[in-house]
Amino acid sequence: MKEIDSTSNECISVEETKQALQQNEKIQIIDVRSKEEFENNHIPDAINIALSEIENQIHQIKKDHKIITACGKGGGRSMDGAKILKEMGYNANWLCGGTNEWLNLK
């Protein structure tokens, strides 16, 4: 997996993320959608912190991990979530294609 650049605004692919997890890299996936959206479907082992709650729930985010934010289709909220986390000093990127691509939902 290429090094995730914490200063980049680019997303990281589902394939790259899955490979990194298989190689036991320290990655935390944060689903930034609402509780209802998360309960409908989500990436296994992702935690749910709605975009509006990131700053209030920062204690749940692991500082020593690469953080990957996800939403339904990728972009939008996940990009905003990664930006907020980067500004707070986290190594964060957003997931290209989001939860839908991870779960092969069309």
Side-chain angles (χ1 to χ4, degrees), residues 59-73:
H59 63 276
Q60 293 187 55
I61 302 173
K62 298 175 181 177
K63 191 77 171 180
D64 65 338
H65 281 52
K66 294 176 184 174
I67 307 302
I68 312 249
T69 56
C71 62
K73 295 180 182 176

Side-chain angles (χ1 to χ4, degrees), residues 73-93:
K73 295 180 182 176
R77 289 178 281 178
S78 58
M79 188 179 349
D80 291 344
K83 181 180 177 188
I84 290 167
L85 290 169
K86 285 179 198 176
E87 289 171 355
M88 297 175 80
Y90 287 84
N91 182 1
N93 284 82

Side-chain angles (χ1 to χ4, degrees), residues 2 8 19 72 87:
K2 69 181 180 185
S8 172
Q19 287 175 353
E87 289 171 355

Side-chain angles (χ1 to χ4, degrees), residues 2-99:
K2 69 181 180 185
E3 180 63 26
I4 300 173
D5 179 358
S6 63
T7 62
S8 172
N9 286 326
E10 293 182 19
C11 61
I12 185 166
S13 74
V14 167
E15 182 179 307
E16 286 178 294
T17 304
K18 287 181 177 181
Q19 287 175 353
L21 288 168
Q22 288 174 349
Q23 294 171 0
N24 295 316
E25 289 189 35
K26 290 182 175 181
I27 292 178
Q28 184 177 31
I29 299 174
I30 300 174
D31 191 314
V32 296
R33 299 175 299 160
S34 70
K35 181 180 178 183
E36 295 76 22
E37 289 172 296
F38 180 80
E39 289 174 351
N40 187 41
N41 61 41
H42 61 271
I43 295 168
D45 298 320
I47 65 168
N48 180 223
I49 303 175
L51 180 60
S52 62
E53 291 296 315
I54 286 179
E55 292 180 28
N56 295 333
Q57 299 298 320
I58 200 71
H59 63 276
Q60 293 187 55
I61 302 173
K62 298 175 181 177
K63 191 77 171 180
D64 65 338
H65 281 52
K66 294 176 184 174
I67 307 302
I68 312 249
T69 56
C71 62
K73 295 180 182 176
R77 289 178 281 178
S78 58
M79 188 179 349
D80 291 344
K83 181 180 177 188
I84 290 167
L85 290 169
K86 285 179 198 176
E87 289 171 355
M88 297 175 80
Y90 287 84
N91 182 1
N93 284 82
W94 53 283
L95 186 66
C96 307
T99 301

